[in-house]
Amino acid sequence: MSKKTNNIPYRFYLTEEQLPKAWYNLRADMKEAPEPLLNPATLQPATVADISPVFSEELAKQEMDDKTAYFEIPEEVRNVYKIYRPSPLCRAYNLEKALDTPAKIYFKFEGNNTSGSHKLNSAVPQAYYAKQQGLKGLTTETGAGQWGTALSGACAMFNLPLTVYMVKGSYYQKPYRKDVMHTYGAEVIPSPSDTTEAGRRILTEIPETSGSLGCAISEAVEKAVTSEGCRYALGSVMNQVLLHQSIIGLESYTAMELLGEYPDIVIGCAGGGSNLGGLIAPFMRDKIKENKNTRFIAVEPASCPSLTRGRYLYDFCDTGKITPMARMYTLGCGFIPSADHAGGLRYHGMSPVISKLYHDGYMEAVSYKQTAVFDAATYFAKVENILPAPESSHAIRAAIDEALKCKESGEEKTILFGLTGTGYFDMTAYSSYYDGTMKDYIPSDEELEKGFAGIPDIPQNR
Amino acid sequence: MSKKTNNIPYRFYLTEEQLPKAWYNLRADMKEAPEPLLNPATLQPATVADISPVFSEELAKQEMDDKTAYFEIPEEVRNVYKIYRPSPLCRAYNLEKALDTPAKIYFKFEGNNTSGSHKLNSAVPQAYYAKQQGLKGLTTETGAGQWGTALSGACAMFNLPLTVYMVKGSYYQKPYRKDVMHTYGAEVIPSPSDTTEAGRRILTEIPETSGSLGCAISEAVEKAVTSEGCRYALGSVMNQVLLHQSIIGLESYTAMELLGEYPDIVIGCAGGGSNLGGLIAPFMRDKIKENKNTRFIAVEPASCPSLTRGRYLYDFCDTGKITPMARMYTLGCGFIPSADHAGGLRYHGMSPVISKLYHDGYMEAVSYKQTAVFDAATYFAKVENILPAPESSHAIRAAIDEALKCKESGEEKTILFGLTGTGYFDMTAYSSYYDGTMKDYIPSDEELEKGFAGIPDIPQNR
């Protein structure tokens, strides 16, 4: 906590030379690593061999490795990163002024690439490793569309065919997203579809369904494991994804170091935990290894509150229950967020790394209703000129509230939050906020109970 | 022309300290300045007093001043620029590799801000000067929506009310654009409307019209001059706009200097000429003052070919013939581009500065059919990951063709083009390109003749 200075630029970019050359694997420095994935057939810890039919080999290794602290970023991946990285570390001078807060507010802005979000950081290595392995293609799912767009772009860079199962509701509500993926050469299929067993089953049970992320995952995984030379790619939750996303935190860490700054509070929105896990990684390392008293805040929607209202147990990663099981804060793999919920952050579970850190008291979590989130989004847009994604706006909301607490207390805290992306493809949600048709939805305890139906009752500590 | 080196970064950002502190007014260094605006009532050169009812005072002065080479950028404007500038100077290594060309291709990327384009560079000072003057509001028009979005964002920064007349066709085809402007607090009215005399007249004549940029300009100007304390803002064509946009060229110039580079060819898309005039300014200065043999290429759509098929004469800047007259390459203020034409670059005239330079042989101009432009856009998106705006893709098309000529000749030329913006709001056009419904339209000589009806026959050299 230092006095406000005026020699910090509005936007700070590392040079190409200063970009990280390795990803950081926070698991290696955690006092207790997250619990292992379980093979659902045996309920034994999954091995690299178990998950290799689903993920490319190198990614399967990264997924399981909680010992290696640094993974070198392959040169080919770094060369793609250099197209859109470094992302700027931004000082929100205008937001500080508008709030009249003594706090110093920084944000790491990941929206300056065509995927419109941080998702490209993991899409690029996932496409690269698949290509290296000589695979014939990848499959994935996408909800709001950021991940599908990112992976489409990454696959185009490496000339790799991609099939995207897009949640049916989004497919028709966000046709532009689909067109961007087409630009990159991806095949986009509305989910549930008749191209998989899982899809056909759900279509029979609920013919009118607009789909869900969990269902799209089931389809994408099934398609991958039943197609020759094909693997699956996931944009969040998994350890490998948090590893790749550490680039966000590492850049932020170096940039703040060069500016003579260190955050008192680090804030990120939390859906599956990819951005949050990446942003906090090196700062959490300092908390774990050097007892820094930094606060970490996960911000989630009140309509999909896995950390604040979920349970910490072994659950499936998909609705169809065909994936390995992960111990995580979850609303149950049967949970589907209300159609009133706009934007992303709609996954039923939370990254095992984030879940473990939260469970062990290293992090806090808060949830917000979506109108409160859009209040923050539009306020931020007006003063900082950036139109934020609804997801990212959860972090903005919490950052504003922390800055206002500083105003109350007079403390000059340094706040860092992740601005994961832009909202250009989310104008339908903004529009419903303006015309007053946006609804706040908070699931009842009874509704939440339903998500847990059919999850096997298994010992929780391995 | 130097040997290809590997120490040039993919993306190069100036530091905040290196940002330009003054705009450059190329007119001051031109051997012959562009012809003056004419007051349409007297057919005499317009004075600052003549245009002050339309534009803020400082902007009226900038418009008329062809002697002052540098205008200091006010600190408040520089502080807003710092939110999204510097824009990166990008080396298109992947495009070079894909084309297998010995050419070195650079582009200046202006798409990393919420307006999605370079338009914000002039919107910010226009909003600032209006606020400084104590005005109560601004009016403007927008076609594809980039300018309206940019000015909305700028007015939000300075708490200034804004009314945007949006070409009716775009208003309904691009509702998201309208929602972004709403986010910034602007009032958006589909044009033609019943809120102005000009709009009512056109609605009576052609009730089913989807509007035009020239018509929206008439409405915005009328609204400004008939409202207390209100002025009009224009996003292109005018000298003041090219002055502000010189920030693009100045940053590019400094960046290339620091990298030890200088372009052999500078390429920009050309609608009203704002991006092109800004990008070329300091390089053109070198050509004029130091006889550098740099080539400059303006790229326009074959469906709206003001430079390549227009006439160099005094014309009105709007359909309603209420603005001052400018000597420029024009298709006639009665010209309305075919509905088959996607994206921007649809203005009937060309900036007087660009027109004069072209007329005096300092520049070249080429036109492309839109399917050829979208060929380039999708190719570029796949290899460089950026989804370009249709407008910007005209420059990409020409840059690719020049790079391919280098491949033929073996010349290692250095090419710089302006990538003015992103295409996130143009997916309808991309979609029509994919499904084969996109049409190429080239107006016949007879059709072009119609645009000139009713322009007074006045002496062309003053």
Side-chain angles (χ1 to χ4, degrees):
Chain A
M1 286 185 283
S2 57
K3 274 271 176 200
K4 280 203 185 197
T5 52
N6 286 320
N7 55 4
I8 304 271
Y10 281 71
R11 299 293 178 261
F12 185 70
Y13 292 92
L14 300 178
T15 65
E16 200 174 81
E17 282 303 302
Q18 290 166 335
L19 292 182
K21 295 186 176 57
W23 293 298
Y24 170 57
N25 183 15
L26 178 60
R27 286 172 291 163
D29 287 321
M30 286 167 68
K31 297 227 163 112
E32 282 181 34
E35 324 269 341
L37 291 175
L38 294 189
N39 180 327
T42 63
L43 296 186
Q44 292 305 305
T47 62
V48 170
D50 282 340
I51 67 167
S52 289
V54 179
F55 297 107
S56 340
E57 280 162 27
E58 187 60 33
L59 294 169
K61 284 183 203 159
Q62 291 178 358
E63 188 63 34
M64 297 307 187
D65 188 338
D66 57 14
K67 300 285 180 285
T68 307
Y70 290 91
F71 284 83
E72 191 186 331
I73 308 175
E75 192 185 352
E76 292 88 339
V77 172
R78 283 196 285 130
N79 282 344
V80 180
Y81 278 175
K82 288 173 186 171
I83 288 181
Y84 70 99
R85 307 204 70 83
S87 72
L89 179 73
C90 308
R91 176 75 182 266
Y93 282 118
N94 291 318
L95 181 60
E96 293 173 17
K97 196 175 157 193
L99 296 172
D100 189 25
T101 175
K104 293 187 284 187
I105 308 176
Y106 288 88
F107 62 94
K108 180 72 166 168
F109 181 41
E110 294 288 323
N112 281 344
N113 68 72
T114 287
S115 80
S117 82
H118 67 293
K119 296 286 186 183
L120 198 50
N121 300 331
S122 184
V124 175
Q126 292 199 46
Y128 167 75
Y129 288 124
K131 188 72 181 182
Q132 277 301 100
Q133 195 179 325
L135 295 178
K136 292 182 188 160
L138 283 175
T139 69
T140 197
E141 78 293 329
T142 200
Q146 290 180 340
W147 168 246
T149 310
L151 192 63
S152 303
C155 285
M157 301 295 289
F158 294 109
N159 260 311
L160 191 72
L162 171 68
T163 304
V164 181
Y165 286 90
M166 186 170 188
V167 174
K168 196 175 272 178
S170 299
Y171 183 92
Y172 292 109
Q173 277 167 31
K174 300 190 175 188
Y176 292 172
R177 278 283 189 195
K178 178 194 59 178
D179 292 328
V180 179
M181 291 185 260
H182 279 166
T183 302
Y184 289 132
E187 182 188 16
V188 188
I189 299 173
S191 166
S193 74
D194 61 4
T195 66
T196 66
E197 195 55 49
R200 288 188 292 270
R201 196 168 56 235
I202 294 170
L203 281 174
T204 306
E205 287 167 15
I206 324 170
E208 296 306 313
T209 180
S210 59
S212 74
L213 206 49
C215 164
I217 293 176
S218 297
E219 289 205 85
V221 172
E222 180 185 328
K223 183 76 176 176
V225 299
T226 57
S227 305
E228 170 75 23
C230 192
R231 294 292 185 281
Y232 166 70
L234 186 65
S236 192
V237 184
M238 306 295 285
N239 299 324
Q240 58 188 270
V241 177
L242 269 72
L243 173 70
H244 306 147
Q245 294 295 355
S246 69
I247 190 95
I248 304 172
L250 293 167
E251 281 186 14
S252 303
Y253 192 92
T254 304
M256 293 198 91
E257 202 164 41
L258 290 167
L259 296 174
E261 291 281 29
Y262 198 92
D264 298 300
I265 309 174
V266 183
I267 299 170
C269 63
S274 68
N275 145 71
L276 179 66
L279 175 67
I280 68 173
F283 302 105
M284 185 62 82
R285 174 190 59 202
D286 289 357
K287 185 180 182 97
I288 293 170
K289 298 183 74 170
E290 299 170 20
N291 285 311
K292 282 261 192 192
N293 64 353
T294 317
R295 286 176 58 206
F296 296 90
I297 307 175
V299 193
E300 58 184 18
S303 51
C304 191
S306 57
L307 286 173
T308 50
R309 296 181 65 201
R311 302 179 194 165
Y312 186 50
L313 46 75
Y314 267 107
D315 190 10
F316 292 98
C317 299
D318 67 324
T319 312
K321 301 178 185 169
I322 61 173
T323 58
M325 301 183 76
R327 189 162 186 213
M328 56 186 179
Y329 276 87
T330 178
L331 297 163
C333 64
F335 177 83
I336 295 178
S338 159
D340 291 333
H341 170 83
L345 310 184
R346 47 174 62 241
Y347 188 63
H348 65 273
M350 180 58 64
S351 139
V353 173
I354 298 290
S355 293
K356 178 71 177 164
L357 290 167
Y358 178 63
H359 195 67
D360 290 350
Y362 287 96
M363 301 186 62
E364 306 161 41
V366 293
S367 73
Y368 284 104
K369 292 190 290 186
Q370 68 181 347
T371 50
V373 168
F374 276 83
D375 289 346
T378 52
Y379 185 84
F380 184 81
K382 284 197 182 90
V383 299
E384 289 285 342
N385 203 259
I386 296 170
L387 184 85
E391 297 84 354
S392 325
S393 303
H394 287 75
I396 297 173
R397 173 78 267 173
I400 288 175
D401 287 353
E402 290 297 328
L404 290 175
K405 283 184 207 162
C406 290
K407 186 179 177 179
E408 288 279 314
S409 66
E411 287 173 290
E412 288 181 0
K413 288 190 179 163
T414 300
I415 298 170
L416 168 65
F417 74 88
L419 189 68
T420 55
T422 48
Y424 308 140
F425 291 96
D426 301 287
M427 295 318 298
T428 309
Y430 272 92
S431 184
S432 72
Y433 169 76
Y434 298 135
D435 66 18
T437 58
M438 174 174 277
K439 288 181 200 150
D440 281 320
Y441 172 76
I442 300 182
S444 67
D445 291 341
E446 292 70 30
E447 281 173 282
L448 287 187
E449 189 61 40
K450 291 178 198 161
F452 294 97
I455 300 174
D457 184 20
I458 55 176
Q460 296 302 327
N461 286 307
R462 308 302 298 178
Chain B
M1 286 187 283
S2 57
K3 274 271 176 200
K4 279 202 186 196
T5 52
N6 287 320
N7 55 3
I8 304 272
Y10 282 71
R11 299 292 179 262
F12 185 70
Y13 292 91
L14 300 178
T15 66
E16 200 174 80
E17 282 304 301
Q18 290 167 334
L19 292 182
K21 295 186 176 57
W23 293 298
Y24 170 57
N25 183 14
L26 178 60
R27 285 171 292 164
D29 287 322
M30 285 168 67
K31 296 226 162 111
E32 281 181 35
E35 325 269 340
L37 291 174
L38 294 190
N39 180 326
T42 63
L43 296 187
Q44 292 304 305
T47 62
V48 170
D50 282 339
I51 66 168
S52 289
V54 180
F55 297 107
S56 336
E57 281 162 26
E58 187 60 32
L59 294 170
K61 285 183 202 158
Q62 291 178 358
E63 189 62 34
M64 297 306 189
D65 188 337
D66 56 15
K67 300 285 180 286
T68 308
Y70 290 91
F71 285 83
E72 191 187 332
I73 307 175
E75 192 185 352
E76 292 87 339
V77 173
R78 282 195 285 129
N79 282 344
V80 181
Y81 277 174
K82 288 173 188 172
I83 287 181
Y84 70 100
R85 307 204 69 82
S87 72
L89 179 72
C90 308
R91 176 75 182 267
Y93 281 118
N94 291 319
L95 180 60
E96 293 172 18
K97 194 175 158 194
L99 296 172
D100 189 25
T101 175
K104 292 186 285 185
I105 309 177
Y106 288 88
F107 60 94
K108 180 73 166 167
F109 181 41
E110 295 287 323
N112 282 345
N113 67 72
T114 287
S115 81
S117 81
H118 67 294
K119 296 286 185 183
L120 198 50
N121 300 331
S122 185
V124 175
Q126 292 199 45
Y128 167 76
Y129 288 124
K131 188 74 181 181
Q132 277 300 98
Q133 195 180 325
L135 295 178
K136 292 182 188 159
L138 283 176
T139 68
T140 197
E141 79 293 328
T142 200
Q146 291 181 339
W147 168 247
T149 310
L151 192 63
S152 303
C155 284
M157 300 296 289
F158 295 108
N159 262 311
L160 191 72
L162 171 68
T163 304
V164 181
Y165 287 90
M166 185 169 189
V167 175
K168 195 175 272 178
S170 299
Y171 184 92
Y172 291 108
Q173 277 167 33
K174 299 190 175 189
Y176 292 172
R177 278 282 188 198
K178 177 194 60 181
D179 292 327
V180 179
M181 291 185 259
H182 279 165
T183 302
Y184 290 131
E187 181 187 18
V188 188
I189 298 173
S191 166
S193 74
D194 62 3
T195 66
T196 66
E197 194 57 49
R200 288 188 291 271
R201 196 168 56 235
I202 294 169
L203 281 175
T204 307
E205 286 167 15
I206 323 170
E208 296 306 313
T209 180
S210 59
S212 74
L213 206 51
C215 164
I217 294 175
S218 298
E219 288 204 85
V221 171
E222 180 185 326
K223 183 76 176 175
V225 299
T226 57
S227 305
E228 171 76 24
C230 193
R231 294 291 185 284
Y232 166 71
L234 186 64
S236 191
V237 185
M238 306 294 285
N239 298 324
Q240 57 189 271
V241 177
L242 269 73
L243 173 69
H244 306 148
Q245 294 294 357
S246 69
I247 190 96
I248 305 173
L250 294 167
E251 281 186 12
S252 303
Y253 192 93
T254 304
M256 293 198 91
E257 202 165 40
L258 291 167
L259 296 174
E261 291 280 30
Y262 198 93
D264 298 300
I265 309 174
V266 182
I267 299 170
C269 63
S274 67
N275 144 73
L276 180 66
L279 175 67
I280 69 173
F283 302 105
M284 185 61 84
R285 173 189 60 201
D286 289 356
K287 185 178 180 100
I288 293 169
K289 297 181 76 171
E290 299 170 20
N291 285 311
K292 282 261 193 192
N293 65 352
T294 318
R295 286 176 59 205
F296 297 89
I297 307 176
V299 193
E300 58 184 16
S303 51
C304 190
S306 57
L307 286 173
T308 50
R309 295 180 66 199
R311 301 178 194 166
Y312 187 50
L313 46 76
Y314 267 108
D315 189 9
F316 292 98
C317 299
D318 68 324
T319 312
K321 300 177 185 170
I322 61 174
T323 59
M325 301 182 77
R327 189 164 186 212
M328 56 186 179
Y329 277 87
T330 177
L331 298 163
C333 64
F335 177 83
I336 296 178
S338 159
D340 291 331
H341 170 84
L345 310 183
R346 48 175 62 244
Y347 188 63
H348 66 274
M350 179 59 63
S351 140
V353 173
I354 298 289
S355 293
K356 179 70 176 166
L357 290 167
Y358 178 63
H359 195 67
D360 290 351
Y362 287 95
M363 301 187 62
E364 306 160 40
V366 293
S367 73
Y368 284 104
K369 293 189 291 186
Q370 68 181 350
T371 50
V373 168
F374 276 83
D375 290 345
T378 51
Y379 185 84
F380 183 81
K382 285 197 182 91
V383 298
E384 289 285 339
N385 204 258
I386 297 170
L387 185 86
E391 298 83 354
S392 324
S393 304
H394 288 75
I396 296 173
R397 173 79 266 172
I400 287 175
D401 287 352
E402 289 298 328
L404 290 175
K405 284 183 206 161
C406 289
K407 185 178 177 180
E408 287 279 312
S409 66
E411 287 174 290
E412 288 180 2
K413 287 188 180 165
T414 300
I415 299 170
L416 168 65
F417 73 89
L419 189 70
T420 55
T422 49
Y424 308 141
F425 292 96
D426 301 287
M427 295 319 297
T428 309
Y430 272 92
S431 183
S432 73
Y433 169 75
Y434 299 135
D435 67 18
T437 58
M438 175 174 275
K439 289 183 198 149
D440 282 320
Y441 173 77
I442 300 181
S444 67
D445 290 342
E446 291 70 31
E447 282 172 280
L448 286 187
E449 190 61 40
K450 291 178 197 162
F452 294 97
I455 300 174
D457 184 19
I458 56 176
Q460 295 303 327
N461 287 306
R462 311 297 303 176

